[in-house]
Amino acid sequence: MATKSALETSTTKPVSVTKKKNPKLFDQLAGYAFISPFFIIFAIFGVYPLFFTAYLSLHRWDILGEKVFIGFDNYIALFTNDPLFWKAVGNTFSIWFISTVPQLMLALVLAFLLNQAFLKGKGLFRLAVFMPNITSVVAVAIIFSAMFGTNYGVINYVVTLFGFDPINWSGSYLGTHVAISAMVMWRWVGYNTIIYLAGLQGISKDMYEAATIDGANKTQQFFFITIPLMKPIILFTVILSTIGGMQIFAEPFLFGRGASNQGLTMTLYLYEEAFTRFAFGYASAIAWVLFLIIIIFSLINLFITQRIKS
């Protein structure tokens, strides 16, 4: 018996000292070890660039020479002596407004239609609506640039059929903003439609049935049932569209900024300062101003959401 007991003891697997003394602490450390890769990658590619950009915005640096500390001179020049930056801010807000408001309204209407019981082939329609979102933004920009061409564009061809003169889309302020906004709308309407559709499926069908019995038509149901119950989701898509709209880059970059800089956005201006003029300190200041603008809009959205919930 003594020999058997010794044999069992010798073949037992060794137990971690940490696990034996404090099993709860061991489980916690194991959990942190499993999730640590995400935090390590986020710290390297997220947190570090954020703080390095803030540090860089206080310097003059062309990536080759030494960094020269200049304090808040980049920010002072940005706010007081750079009309091109304010033009970029105005262009960004204009394109955001023209693209976001119709986009979200159209997405809500499409989601309402796709949620109707009488519609056949819903899966095919949902796939078709979402397809533009997974299409290459470069391909979208090239196709729309051709469509909005001044001399041979499809849009101008249709305009001339009605007896109007061709529109110089890339040469006018409003034309450029409408063309870029059309690209943004075409690409993101389907994405917001899917979000709204998920929210609509959470609304009880009994409410629509009761409204139908009371004599409410589809339009009345949409305005008095759907929209009030969808307010939190609508606000969520508004803030997502705001963040995306403030960072719009590919569409104006490929369509062109225009002779009067009417297509210049904040991110496009940031890109040109960093990788054309190699003013990385100044570009970092632009990045931080853009970041603060997004934070302000996020706080406004949070305030509105809390007011609606209360």
Side-chain angles (χ1 to χ4, degrees):
M1 293 294 291
T3 305
K4 184 178 180 181
S5 177
L7 182 62
E8 289 177 351
T9 304
S10 63
T11 57
T12 302
K13 293 182 179 181
V15 181
S16 170
V17 177
T18 305
K19 186 175 182 179
K20 185 183 293 184
K21 289 184 178 180
N22 194 341
K24 185 176 291 187
L25 177 62
F26 177 82
D27 293 338
Q28 292 176 351
L29 292 175
Y32 284 122
F34 280 117
I35 64 175
S36 62
F38 166 78
F39 288 100
I40 293 172
I41 294 174
F42 178 73
I44 295 173
F45 296 102
V47 177
Y48 171 73
L50 185 68
F51 285 100
F52 181 72
T53 305
Y55 165 79
L56 201 59
S57 68
L58 304 176
H59 293 75
R60 185 188 300 113
W61 188 45
D62 63 355
I63 205 173
L64 296 177
E66 294 183 359
K67 303 180 187 69
V68 179
F69 180 78
I70 57 175
F72 291 96
D73 287 356
N74 284 328
Y75 293 96
I76 294 172
L78 195 64
F79 284 104
T80 62
N81 195 30
D82 192 352
L84 196 58
F85 169 73
W86 292 110
K87 189 175 185 64
V89 172
N91 292 339
T92 303
F93 276 94
S94 175
I95 294 171
W96 168 78
F97 182 79
I98 296 174
S99 63
T100 300
V101 175
Q103 172 195 151
L104 296 182
M105 293 174 63
L106 180 59
L108 188 58
V109 172
L110 286 174
F112 183 76
L113 294 175
L114 290 175
N115 196 46
Q116 299 304 307
F118 64 82
L119 185 66
K120 304 299 181 182
K122 292 182 180 179
L124 181 62
F125 281 110
R126 293 171 186 175
L127 177 63
V129 165
F130 192 72
M131 280 294 289
N133 186 252
I134 60 176
T135 306
S136 171
V137 64
V138 177
V140 173
I142 292 173
I143 292 172
F144 271 81
S145 297
M147 289 176 61
F148 284 94
T150 303
N151 298 320
Y152 304 104
V154 176
I155 307 297
N156 272 345
Y157 174 75
V158 175
V159 168
T160 55
L161 291 179
F162 289 92
F164 297 100
D165 295 328
I167 301 171
N168 187 5
W169 297 101
S170 60
S172 63
Y173 183 87
L174 182 60
T176 300
H177 288 199
V178 169
I180 295 174
S181 298
M183 301 181 208
V184 177
M185 285 180 58
W186 189 84
R187 186 166 175 240
W188 291 103
V189 163
Y191 177 83
N192 290 303
T193 300
I194 297 301
I195 294 178
Y196 288 152
L197 185 60
L200 287 172
Q201 291 177 347
I203 300 175
S204 175
K205 295 181 179 179
D206 296 338
M207 300 188 68
Y208 292 106
E209 293 175 357
T212 303
I213 294 173
D214 291 338
N217 56 35
K218 294 296 183 182
T219 304
Q220 292 172 327
Q221 292 176 21
F222 179 76
F223 283 103
F224 294 103
I225 296 177
T226 303
I227 292 181
L229 294 177
M230 289 283 290
K231 278 184 179 179
I233 299 176
I234 292 173
L235 289 170
F236 172 73
T237 56
V238 167
I239 194 62
L240 280 185
S241 300
T242 301
I243 294 173
M246 293 296 106
Q247 300 180 73
I248 184 172
F249 172 77
E251 289 86 352
F253 178 76
L254 293 170
F255 187 78
R257 58 187 289 175
S260 302
N261 296 309
Q262 69 270 13
L264 183 67
T265 60
M266 285 190 284
T267 50
L268 184 56
Y269 187 45
L270 186 157
Y271 169 82
E272 291 180 354
E273 288 293 327
F275 300 104
T276 303
R277 303 180 183 90
F278 299 103
F280 283 88
Y282 198 70
S284 299
I286 297 173
W288 264 90
V289 171
L290 175 61
F291 174 72
L292 293 176
I293 291 174
I294 293 174
I295 289 294
I296 291 171
F297 269 80
S298 300
L299 292 176
I300 292 173
N301 177 75
L302 180 62
F303 173 76
I304 296 174
T305 304
Q306 290 177 343
R307 294 278 294 186
I308 290 176
K309 287 181 178 180
S310 61

